[in-house]
C-alpha cells in the first residue's frame, strides 16, 4: 500500500464527504464541514472506530427522522437524510496511490479504477482475463472529479461546478463564468460547437460527417488524448 501524507488523506476525505452529502455546487468545503459537525454533534463519536460503525450509526439515527422531530434541528435532519441516502450501497476505499474513493460495497483489493472517455464517472473494474474487465460499479474519486485524469488540474484561480447537470468554469478574480474548460485548446480543424437548449455544448462537423450535434467533445478523442501524453489502454467490458 502506498504511503500518503496526512494532508492528502484529509483533503481526499473532505471531498468524499462533500460527495456523500450531495452539497450544493457553490458551497465551500468549510460550509460543508460545519454542516457535518452540526449534524453529528448530538452523538458521541469517540468510540466510532470504523466506516462500518459510522454507517451503522447513521442508519440507526436516520430512519424516521423528520424536520420537526424533537432533539434535531431541521438542518441536522436534512443532513442525516442525505447521509443515509447517498452512502447506501457505497463504502470508502483506500487506493494503492494513497487516495480515498467512494465506491461500491462489492469493491475489493485488486480491483482497478478506470476513466473511460464518454463515461461521466470513473468505474471500478475487476480483471477477468488479459484484457477483459467486469464492471463492479461507479465511484467518486475527488482527484478525478473535474476531468483531471485526462486534462490535469484546473489552472490556478479556476474552479468547476455543476449547474443542474451542466459543468461551468468560474474564475472569480477575472470575473469569468463560462462553459469552456480553460484546459482545452481550440477545436480540431473542421469542427464547430453550439450551445444546447439545455445549457451545455454540442459539436458538429460537416467535414467529418457529423452534421447533427453530438455530445462528445472532439478535443477528447483518442488521438487528442494520446497527443497530451495520456496512456490509453484498450479493454473489453464483460
Amino acid at each position: 500500500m502506498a504511503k500518503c501524507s496526512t494532508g492528502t488523506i484529509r483533503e481526499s476525505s473532505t471531498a468524499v464527504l462533500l460527495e456523500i452529502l450531495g452539497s450544493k455546487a457553490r458551497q465551500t468545503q468549510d460550509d460543508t464541514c460545519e454542516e457535518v459537525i452540526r449534524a453529528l454533534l448530538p452523538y458521541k463519536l469517540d468510540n466510532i472506530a470504523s466506516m462500518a460503525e459510522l454507517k451503522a450509526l447513521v442508519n440507526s439515527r436516520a430512519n424516521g427522522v423528520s424536520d420537526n422531530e424533537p432533539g434535531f434541528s431541521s438542518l441536522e435532519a436534512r443532513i442525516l437524510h442525505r447521509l443515509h441516502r447517498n452512502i447506501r450501497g457505497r463504502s470508502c476505499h483506500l487506493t494503492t496511490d494513497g487516495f480515498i474513493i467512494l465506491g461500491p460495497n462489492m469493491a475489493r483489493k485488486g480491483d482497478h479504477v478506470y476513466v473511460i472517455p464518454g463515461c461521466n464517472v470513473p468505474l471500478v473494474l475487476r480483471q477477468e482475463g488479459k484484457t477483459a474487465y467486469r464492471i463492479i460499479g461507479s465511484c467518486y474519486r475527488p482527484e478525478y472529479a473535474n476531468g483531471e485524469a485526462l486534462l490535469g488540474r484546473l489552472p490556478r484561480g479556476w474552479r468547476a461546478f455543476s449547474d443542474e447537470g451542466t459543468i461551468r468554469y468560474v474564475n472569480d478574480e477575472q470575473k469569468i463564468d463560462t462553459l469552456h474548460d480553460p484546459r482545452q485548446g481550440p477545436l480540431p480543424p473542421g469542427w464547430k460547437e453550439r450551445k444546447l437548449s439545455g445549457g451545455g455544448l454540442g459539436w458538429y462537423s460537416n467535414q467529418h460527417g457529423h452534421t447533427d450535434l453530438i455530445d462528445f467533445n472532439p478535443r477528447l478523442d483518442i488521438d487528442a488524448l494520446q497527443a497530451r501524453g495520456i496512456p490509453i489502454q484498450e479493454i473489453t467490458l464483460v
Side-chain angles (χ1 to χ4, degrees), residues 25-216:
R26 293 182 181 272
Q27 191 172 30
T28 67
Q29 290 192 0
D30 288 342
D31 292 337
T32 300
C33 288
E34 182 180 349
E35 286 193 2
V36 174
I37 292 170
R38 289 187 63 184
L40 299 180
L41 270 178
Y43 318 121
K44 301 296 184 182
L45 300 181
D46 297 343
N47 297 323
I48 301 299
S50 69
M51 188 67 182
E53 290 175 320
L54 179 57
K55 287 174 65 176
L57 173 65
V58 169
N59 286 334
S60 67
R61 297 291 186 175
N63 288 329
V65 169
S66 64
D67 284 352
N68 58 4
E69 180 168 331
F72 291 85
S73 72
S74 61
L75 174 62
E76 291 165 349
R78 290 198 307 272
I79 290 182
L80 284 171
H81 175 70
R82 283 191 206 168
L83 285 167
H84 183 255
R85 178 192 64 203
N86 293 340
I87 206 170
R88 183 179 296 167
R90 302 201 284 179
S91 301
C92 289
H93 307 273
L94 185 64
T95 63
T96 55
D97 54 351
F99 291 95
I100 295 174
I101 68 168
L102 185 66
N105 284 340
M106 293 176 61
R108 67 190 188 198
K109 184 176 181 180
D111 289 343
H112 304 264
V113 177
Y114 271 79
V115 173
I116 299 178
C119 186
N120 292 331
V121 293
L123 297 178
V124 175
L125 304 181
R126 184 166 299 156
Q127 190 167 8
E128 295 197 348
K130 187 175 182 180
T131 60
Y133 290 79
R134 182 175 300 278
I135 298 176
I136 304 303
S138 62
C139 72
Y140 175 76
R141 174 166 172 166
E143 298 74 30
Y144 292 171
N146 297 309
E148 288 88 346
L150 302 179
L151 299 171
R153 289 180 176 272
L154 284 165
R156 185 178 180 84
W158 285 88
R159 59 186 174 87
F161 72 95
S162 176
D163 182 9
E164 296 183 355
T166 299
I167 304 300
R168 305 190 66 87
Y169 301 90
V170 173
N171 188 308
D172 296 311
E173 183 177 340
Q174 300 179 28
K175 295 181 171 56
I176 298 174
D177 184 339
T178 179
L179 294 171
H180 295 95
D181 190 327
R183 297 167 294 185
Q184 297 182 13
L187 284 166
W191 284 92
K192 296 181 180 180
E193 67 184 11
R194 182 184 302 164
K195 187 173 181 179
L196 303 175
S197 58
L201 293 174
W203 296 268
Y204 66 98
S205 172
N206 295 329
Q207 179 179 332
H208 297 283
H210 295 285
T211 55
D212 295 328
L213 287 173
I214 61 173
D215 60 1
F216 182 75

Side-chain angles (χ1 to χ4, degrees), residues 7-18 20 100 142-143:
T8 298
I9 292 178
R10 181 177 180 180
E11 291 172 6
S12 191
S13 301
T14 302
V16 167
L17 275 174
L18 285 163
I20 293 173
I100 295 174
E143 298 74 30

